[in-house]
Amino acid sequence: MIEKVGILFKILGFGLISKILLRNNPGRVILTHYVHRKDYLKFEKTILYLKNNFGFMSPNEFFDNMENRKKDSRILLTFDDGLLSAFDFTMEILSKHNIKAIFFIPTQSIGLTDELGLEFCYKQIYYQTKVKSDLTPEMYNFMPESAIKKLHDEGHFVCSHTDSHTQLINLNENKILDHELEYPIRKLANITGQERNAFAFPVGTEKNISSFSFQGVVKYYKYCFSGLNGVPNFDEPLLIKRNCIHPEFSLNRVKLIVGGVYAVS
């Protein structure tokens, strides 16, 4: 049904708005989370389609574009939540195609697997909104420090996604907010040897952050990635928009998304 509506929008020309917007932006950013093994082939086909038709840029290139207002039509790939399945897919598939990405990691999740990972995933990632028995190992086994270090060593960026994956709108004390925002910078730097000034806030919509918590983001970070659909803007480094593409999406649906049919803000 979603794809049928998307095709209709494409016929009506909604995707043209995205093409116009992309002429004056630093590129496009794609967001995803976990990767089921059964979806490897489909997601690799998506990756190759995007590489052949748009091209991928590295995190360094994206931030250079933002800093120097360089227009670009290529794509930056990002993974949220620090899942081991994202690391495995990266080592097996992305490495083969020389694609670098950003991994946003909630530092409390580091090394959690099996029951501990499941509990964290159920309570902190999905806020008890999913049926626990429906969660799979790809959704609740998290990267250990060794995986995080390897990502950094191979040219990927590892950045903060808060400490506990809390929704920032729920925080109203400076001490707690500072811990959620500042501690992950130090923790990840201790693992990788490199501090990063980019951040993605959990869930990522305007309903999940307050003016109070946003001031904390401004205090600690130069760049903030959201979950809002659309294309990045040079003038909004603290509200970088991303398009969500899950590994199981059909190629036709992916084409509609990157064509600007679903989100053109």
Side-chain angles (χ1 to χ4, degrees), residues 9 23 31 56 61 136 152 216 229 261:
F9 284 176
R23 293 173 186 166
L31 155 69
F56 282 96
E61 289 173 316
T136 65
H152 170 78
N229 282 312
V261 170

Side-chain angles (χ1 to χ4, degrees), residues 78-97:
T78 67
F79 291 85
D80 283 9
D81 299 343
L83 291 153
L84 187 58
S85 61
F87 170 80
D88 291 339
F89 180 81
T90 298
M91 292 299 105
E92 187 170 330
I93 305 299
L94 295 188
S95 294
K96 181 169 59 175
H97 301 295

Side-chain angles (χ1 to χ4, degrees), residues 5-153:
V5 173
I7 292 169
L8 175 62
F9 284 176
K10 186 173 184 179
I11 293 171
L12 293 173
F14 286 17
L16 293 175
I17 303 174
S18 175
K19 291 180 181 178
I20 293 171
L21 287 168
L22 279 170
R23 293 173 186 166
N24 193 36
N25 284 270
R28 191 161 218 153
V29 184
I30 286 176
L31 155 69
T32 195
H33 301 83
Y34 55 85
V35 187
H36 282 114
R37 174 68 60 171
K38 64 181 177 62
D39 293 321
Y40 269 38
L41 181 59
K42 179 178 284 188
F43 200 32
E44 184 174 16
K45 287 182 178 179
T46 293
I47 293 296
L48 287 174
Y49 168 78
L50 296 173
K51 181 179 181 180
N52 292 333
N53 289 275
F54 298 89
F56 282 96
M57 71 180 89
S58 70
N60 270 325
E61 289 173 316
F62 177 80
F63 292 124
D64 182 62
N65 288 348
M66 288 290 293
E67 184 75 21
N68 296 294
R69 302 183 74 87
K70 294 180 182 178
K71 300 175 185 179
D72 206 320
S73 60
R74 291 177 297 166
I75 289 171
L76 172 68
L77 183 60
T78 67
F79 291 85
D80 283 9
D81 299 343
L83 291 153
L84 187 58
S85 61
F87 170 80
D88 291 339
F89 180 81
T90 298
M91 292 299 105
E92 187 170 330
I93 305 299
L94 295 188
S95 294
K96 181 169 59 175
H97 301 295
N98 194 32
I99 296 170
K100 308 303 179 185
I102 301 179
F103 294 81
F104 292 104
I105 296 177
T107 44
Q108 272 189 29
S109 73
I110 296 173
L112 298 182
T113 59
D114 302 324
E115 286 301 316
L116 291 176
L118 177 59
E119 282 300 308
F120 185 87
C121 178
Y122 175 64
K123 293 178 180 178
Q124 296 301 120
I125 301 296
Y126 294 110
Y127 312 112
Q128 302 185 50
T129 60
K130 288 187 178 290
V131 177
K132 186 185 288 189
S133 59
D134 289 342
L135 300 175
T136 65
E138 290 93 342
M139 300 166 71
Y140 64 72
N141 284 333
F142 296 89
M143 295 183 206
E145 290 189 4
S146 58
I148 293 171
K149 181 65 163 61
K150 185 170 180 61
L151 287 174
H152 170 78
D153 290 346

Side-chain angles (χ1 to χ4, degrees), residues 241-260:
K241 296 174 182 176
R242 299 185 285 176
N243 291 125
C244 186
I245 293 181
H246 293 301
E248 67 269 20
F249 282 3
S250 71
L251 186 55
N252 189 48
R253 186 172 179 181
V254 170
K255 290 178 180 178
L256 293 170
I257 291 171
V258 296

